[in-house]
Amino acid sequence: MKRERFLSPIFRVTTGVMASSPFLILLFILIVLIHDAIPAIRYQGFSFFTGITWNMGNMYANNPIVHNGVQAAPGASFGILPFIVGTLGSSLIALLIGVPFALMTAFALVYKVPKPIQRVLSPLLELLAGIPSVVYGLWGVETLSPFIEFKLGPLLTRLGHTMPFLAGPVGTGFGLLTSGLVLAIMIVPIITATARDLLMQVPALSLEGAHALGLTSFESVRFVAYPFVKRGIFGAIVLGLGRALGETMAVLMVSGDAANYLPYNLYSPISTMASTIAALLDSALTDFTSMSVHALAFIALTLLVITVITNLVARLLVSMGRQNVHVEM
């Protein structure tokens, strides 16, 4: 009995610490990034978000410049507007392509596919979500980029006189469109699985009533199922957006790794915030003033804030969507 009384407080403290560990880890990462980003914030100011030029400066010089009390290599300038545009542009393309495909797949799995086939397809869908991103990237390099360079790109450029953003040149196939397509494939499993779980909670009696009234399958989904889960589906889409915003390796492999200019058409090489950190960290570590590392930390802090907000909004909407289903039931 004495032993249990002695172990009980230890158990409560241990489980309390473990339960709060996600918050503590996130808080620790946030504090470290803010601490590392402060020199870059002082050096570059708000122009960090509006500047186009990213230049680490002459890292072999021994005469650092001093600006606002912090040192940087001569010629150093850190503007991430092209990275922000690349991140948002590729994520937008991913949503435009991936969301309709994901939602139609979810509707088919729940309402059209026979149960035995559904039990086979659902695990495969979750398996796609677990494939490492580098595999998607390699697939994009070997198949998607040549396809866009020699097939899809030349075909789309024929529409360039009516839609200027489709005009050429197509380039090498590495760029905005390829990144968006790879991201679209990567976010489809996440959105589909979440939407499928939500649709499976729609009351069967409501759907049966709709069929009894003579509604078609499309009308039943449009006017009965969708209103039950629309808020949760929007949350699932935002959840996919969070994945697209933070994806690193696959985008780095197919984006063309461009800097210092804004994309001028659908095929332009780009860089995203996440891929830039991965691509430049090795060079930044050789900066004798460490300002390049501080600038990368500032990018990471910006990306972390955007991703956390996006995921919190998505989780909230999905939760509200599930509560709405239970209330309606």
Side-chain angles (χ1 to χ4, degrees):
M1 193 66 181
K2 290 183 178 179
R3 185 182 177 187
E4 281 71 15
R5 288 181 178 175
F6 173 76
L7 292 177
S8 183
I10 297 177
F11 178 76
R12 284 200 301 270
V13 172
T14 304
T15 53
V17 171
M18 293 299 106
S20 58
S21 59
F23 172 76
L24 295 176
I25 291 171
L26 180 62
L27 182 64
F28 177 71
I29 293 173
L30 188 62
I31 291 173
V32 170
L33 287 179
I34 292 175
H35 177 267
D36 285 350
I38 285 176
I41 296 172
R42 293 173 59 186
Y43 178 76
Q44 199 68 37
F46 188 74
S47 64
F48 185 78
F49 300 105
T50 59
I52 293 178
T53 302
W54 176 278
N55 187 348
M56 296 185 188
N58 184 2
M59 292 187 287
Y60 298 99
N62 54 7
N63 54 337
I65 60 173
V66 179
H67 182 67
N68 287 337
V70 291
Q71 291 185 343
S77 179
F78 304 99
I80 66 167
L81 184 58
F83 308 145
I84 294 175
V85 173
T87 302
L88 297 179
S90 57
S91 299
L92 178 62
I93 292 173
L95 290 182
L96 290 175
I97 297 172
V99 168
F101 188 82
L103 295 184
M104 293 302 292
T105 304
F107 285 128
L109 280 175
V110 176
Y111 298 124
K112 288 296 183 183
V113 175
K115 293 294 181 184
I117 299 178
Q118 185 186 115
R119 283 194 286 272
V120 174
L121 292 180
S122 292
L124 290 177
L125 183 70
E126 288 154 8
L127 180 65
L128 284 176
I131 293 177
S133 60
V134 68
V135 175
Y136 286 106
L138 187 60
W139 172 80
V141 169
E142 293 191 345
T143 62
L144 198 54
S145 295
F147 174 71
I148 290 177
E149 180 181 5
F150 299 111
K151 303 291 184 183
L152 183 61
L155 186 64
L156 292 176
T157 55
R158 297 179 182 178
L159 304 174
H161 60 284
T162 55
M163 291 180 278
F165 64 94
L166 292 179
V170 175
T172 60
F174 293 91
L176 182 59
L177 179 59
T178 310
S179 302
L181 287 171
V182 170
L183 287 175
I185 294 169
M186 296 181 71
I187 67 173
V188 161
I190 297 171
I191 299 175
T192 304
T194 307
R196 178 203 59 195
D197 293 344
L198 289 167
L199 290 170
M200 291 179 72
Q201 298 180 52
V202 175
L205 283 176
S206 300
L207 293 170
E208 291 171 1
H211 291 144
L213 292 173
L215 272 64
T216 64
S217 298
F218 172 76
E219 290 170 336
S220 299
V221 170
R222 171 67 181 83
F223 297 110
V224 178
Y226 177 71
F228 273 99
V229 298
K230 60 181 179 183
R231 191 174 293 172
I233 285 182
F234 183 71
I237 294 171
V238 179
L239 203 60
L241 173 62
R243 171 70 191 275
L245 290 172
E247 178 50 44
T248 304
M249 189 52 66
V251 175
L252 177 62
M253 296 170 74
V254 300
S255 65
D257 194 21
N260 297 338
Y261 70 90
L262 297 171
Y264 52 87
N265 69 8
L266 194 61
Y267 322 100
S268 295
I270 61 164
S271 282
T272 64
M273 288 189 282
S275 67
T276 298
I277 295 172
L280 299 182
L281 181 58
D282 191 45
S283 300
L285 290 173
T286 63
D287 185 349
F288 66 99
T289 67
S290 298
M291 183 54 71
S292 299
V293 177
H294 296 311
L296 291 181
F298 198 2
I299 296 178
L301 176 62
T302 305
L303 188 59
L304 177 64
V305 171
I306 294 173
T307 305
V308 168
I309 292 175
T310 303
N311 278 277
L312 287 177
V313 171
R315 300 286 179 186
L316 178 63
L317 290 173
V318 170
S319 176
M320 292 174 68
R322 285 175 175 154
Q323 290 176 4
N324 185 50
V325 170
H326 292 309
V327 169
E328 295 291 342
M329 289 175 68

